[in-house]
Amino acid sequence: MYAILDIEATGGKVGEESVIEIAVYKYDGKEIVDQFISLVNPERKIDYYVQKLTHITDKMVRTAPKFHEIAKRIVEITDDCILVGHNVMFDYRMLRQEFERLGYNFEKEWIDTFEYSEKLIPNLPSYSLGKLCESLGIIVTDRHRASGDARATVSLFKMLLDKDTEKIISKKTGLQQPKKTHSKYQKLLDNLPNSVGVFYLYNSRKQLIYISRSNNIAQTINHIFTSKTLKANKLKRYTRSIKFEETGSGFLAAIKENNEVLKNQPMYNNRLVENKVYPYGLYYLESKRGYSRLEIGKLRKVEPVLKFKTKERAKEVLEKILHDYQLCLQVNAGIKSEESCFQYKVNECNGACIKEEAKEVYNQRIEDFIKTTEYPAPTFLILDKGRKGIEKSFYLIEDNQFKGYGYFEYHHQIKTLEMINHILIPIEETDEIKNMLKYFLYKTSSHQNQIVIL
């Protein structure tokens, strides 16, 4: 019997968080036989980042039961069950922490669907729950809410059990305790935040040996210190101190990571070369008489719309663009046929494949996409998430060049370059940062309030 669960927490320093929502589905290997879902009053403030991610507010949990009021129900529904979760170590740690506060020792065997997904379904682009479910066709409703993520984990676990022909899951169902870092590493993990940012690992000589970004700094570093890969073993062996910087925005974390790896070239990061050539590009093949196309290819004399490190990443982005702009896969692949494409039959194509859609209308949608990747003006700001509260981050592009980033609060006006430069943290533009900006503009094209023309 399995107890498949997901927990949302307040955020904050490790050891100080509290549960704000829990969902448990009791699963007998074939179907769900019981379930428990509840908001929880954490008796403390929920971090702003968590509120934005989960849409669970302080007001919503104010009248919810406190953990001690639902503790008995959790013990009952998980009785004689193996805990199952995606990155279950976090959920299990949160439960143990809450029960310890009540003086109760909560111990269970566990199965991590993240670990077994990597083993049983290799070579996927990402194993985060959302992207994994997208790759596998698992529908996720209420993402970043306990019930939605737990239901998605039920579907994922069913699939893993089906794929587990060698029965490795039943042979190894976890330990009585989740993977713990060795005691000599534990102090390094104290006070790490469960938030977006960049972290830095240093050796005994205080030399920077590794830089990375993460959507959850504490969880990522914990994963490194419990992993057995060759790289993780080296990082564990040599790391003596850890520093971090919260960014609030995943995009800003990516920019900082690129800039600081390029500057420092830590020994355990892949070596970066400034403005190195990306081998693949997404090219716009304009047609005046027929239907225009978007094509992936090796770098050419003309400038691509976007550049990519791998062909697989280029294909992934192209598929998203075709979907977002309702572009015909058949037409875009250059296939000429009297038969309509499959997407037309399910009302996801407007009929360009059988010349039912006007070329001008179809081509305009491609041009609309191209415009989303272009700078809206020579000098402008892009606004993004801040770290906490009413703070926002911004990126400055001046005279078509990326100049850096900064933070401000909503009630502060930053509409002049002079004011912006006072708080600007300069970063030199690289080919990768410029390409990231173009893709970020495309992704945020529906949110025009994020662009401020100066």
Side-chain angles (χ1 to χ4, degrees):
M1 195 72 76
Y2 306 99
I4 301 176
L5 80 161
D6 187 79
I7 283 172
E8 304 299 336
T10 54
K13 292 180 180 178
V14 174
E16 294 181 7
E17 323 102 305
S18 294
V19 173
I20 58 173
E21 189 176 38
I22 182 169
V24 184
Y25 292 97
K26 196 167 188 174
Y27 180 64
D28 66 1
K30 295 180 181 178
E31 60 184 0
I32 295 168
V33 296
D34 194 6
Q35 66 182 53
F36 174 67
I37 302 163
S38 180
L39 287 169
V40 183
N41 183 347
E43 301 183 86
R44 55 159 288 180
K45 293 285 185 183
I46 302 171
D47 279 10
Y48 176 74
Y49 169 75
V50 174
Q51 292 191 48
K52 293 286 285 182
L53 184 69
T54 65
H55 302 293
I56 299 173
T57 64
D58 291 322
K59 185 178 179 181
M60 288 170 62
V61 298
R62 197 171 295 146
T63 57
K66 296 171 184 174
F67 189 84
H68 72 85
E69 295 175 288
I70 62 170
K72 183 180 178 184
R73 176 70 174 122
I74 294 170
V75 171
E76 289 172 347
I77 197 170
T78 60
D79 188 38
D80 292 326
C81 288
I82 298 167
L83 296 186
V84 178
H86 203 71
N87 284 315
V88 73
M89 181 174 59
F90 169 77
D91 306 281
Y92 189 22
R93 179 176 67 77
M94 287 305 306
L95 281 180
R96 286 179 56 79
Q97 185 171 286
E98 292 283 10
F99 276 110
E100 280 173 9
R101 290 169 183 166
L102 301 177
Y104 180 84
N105 188 27
F106 184 85
E107 287 191 2
K108 294 288 176 185
E109 291 186 344
W110 54 273
I111 292 172
D112 192 342
T113 53
F114 184 102
E115 176 188 348
Y116 287 105
S117 295
E118 287 184 314
K119 289 181 180 177
L120 296 169
I121 318 173
N123 304 318
L124 292 181
S126 172
Y127 289 89
S128 67
L129 184 61
K131 291 184 178 178
L132 181 58
C133 288
E134 187 178 333
S135 297
L136 300 176
I138 295 171
I139 296 172
V140 185
T141 56
D142 291 333
R143 182 76 175 101
H144 300 300
R145 290 297 298 268
S147 59
D149 286 359
R151 279 305 294 251
T153 306
V154 171
S155 299
L156 173 61
F157 188 56
K158 285 180 182 178
M159 190 177 292
L160 293 175
L161 289 175
D162 289 339
K163 285 184 167 290
D164 185 20
T165 55
E166 296 180 15
K167 303 303 176 190
I168 60 173
I169 294 176
S170 58
K171 288 175 185 175
K172 181 180 179 296
T173 57
L175 308 172
Q176 287 290 70
Q177 302 289 339
K179 289 180 185 177
K180 281 189 174 182
T181 56
H182 192 282
S183 57
K184 72 177 181 179
Y185 305 129
Q186 191 58 49
K187 286 185 179 179
L188 293 174
L189 304 179
D190 290 343
N191 302 318
L192 294 176
N194 292 295
S195 55
V196 182
V198 181
F199 61 87
Y200 313 83
L201 306 186
Y202 294 83
N203 64 15
S204 58
R205 297 179 181 177
K206 297 185 178 179
Q207 295 171 318
L208 184 57
I209 61 172
Y210 186 66
I211 299 173
S212 187
R213 71 180 189 268
S214 172
N215 287 328
N216 187 321
I217 293 170
Q219 188 172 311
T220 299
I221 297 177
N222 214 22
H223 184 69
I224 290 172
F225 279 68
T226 56
S227 177
K228 293 182 179 178
T229 65
L230 180 62
K231 184 174 182 178
N233 284 336
K234 287 181 178 179
L235 292 175
K236 281 186 284 187
R237 181 178 177 183
Y238 294 112
T239 299
R240 291 297 177 270
S241 62
I242 301 172
K243 293 182 180 178
F244 63 86
E245 184 175 336
E246 295 174 273
T247 60
S249 158
F251 178 63
L252 179 49
I255 286 178
K256 283 184 66 64
E257 178 194 41
N258 173 261
N259 176 256
E260 294 178 11
V261 170
L262 190 62
K263 271 183 172 180
N264 296 282
Q265 299 289 353
M267 67 177 73
Y268 292 116
N269 284 96
N270 293 330
R271 183 168 178 79
L272 288 187
V273 179
E274 189 171 355
N275 293 327
K276 69 178 180 181
V277 175
Y278 283 57
Y280 296 95
L282 180 64
Y283 293 92
Y284 174 39
L285 306 183
E286 186 178 7
S287 174
K288 298 293 185 184
R289 297 181 180 179
Y291 294 98
S292 298
R293 295 169 46 210
L294 295 169
E295 181 178 85
I296 296 166
K298 289 272 189 175
L299 290 186
R300 304 168 184 174
K301 291 182 180 179
V302 295
E303 183 70 13
V305 182
L306 294 169
K307 299 175 185 176
F308 302 93
K309 292 179 181 177
T310 66
K311 193 172 185 179
E312 290 70 26
R313 177 59 178 159
K315 285 180 178 178
E316 183 184 325
V317 172
L318 177 57
E319 284 175 9
K320 177 172 170 51
I321 294 163
L322 296 179
H323 176 269
D324 288 351
Y325 285 85
Q326 292 184 292
L327 301 176
C328 178
L329 273 70
Q330 191 166 290
V331 168
N332 200 73
I335 299 171
K336 294 181 179 179
S337 172
E338 294 180 4
E339 291 285 323
S340 67
C341 68
F342 176 75
Q343 281 71 24
Y344 177 77
K345 295 171 184 175
V346 294
N347 298 318
E348 291 181 6
C349 167
N350 297 334
C353 44
I354 51 175
K355 297 183 171 59
E356 190 174 291
E357 182 178 15
K359 300 179 182 72
E360 297 77 15
V361 176
Y362 182 89
N363 292 344
Q364 184 59 53
R365 289 205 301 281
I366 298 183
E367 289 175 25
D368 289 343
F369 155 68
I370 303 293
K371 286 176 185 174
T372 66
T373 68
E374 297 171 347
Y375 289 171
T379 301
F380 65 99
L381 291 179
I382 305 173
L383 305 185
D384 200 1
K385 298 172 186 173
R387 292 161 294 191
K388 286 184 180 179
I390 58 174
E391 182 183 75
K392 299 284 281 184
S393 59
F394 69 84
Y395 315 108
L396 173 63
I397 291 82
E398 185 179 3
D399 296 330
N400 292 309
Q401 275 225 318
F402 176 75
K403 295 295 183 180
Y405 72 96
Y407 296 100
F408 72 102
E409 293 191 347
Y410 264 141
H411 56 268
H412 290 167
Q413 297 297 309
I414 55 162
K415 293 188 177 179
T416 68
L417 276 174
E418 183 181 6
M419 294 176 71
I420 291 162
N421 281 310
H422 285 320
I423 56 175
L424 185 73
I425 301 164
I427 285 185
E428 191 172 338
E429 181 181 84
T430 64
D431 199 34
E432 181 158 3
I433 287 176
K434 188 173 182 179
N435 198 51
M436 284 194 289
L437 276 168
K438 291 176 74 175
Y439 185 62
F440 188 71
L441 283 168
Y442 153 58
K443 288 209 304 180
T444 59
S445 57
S446 60
H447 303 287
Q448 292 302 315
N449 59 336
Q450 288 186 255
I451 305 295
V452 179
I453 307 296
L454 296 171

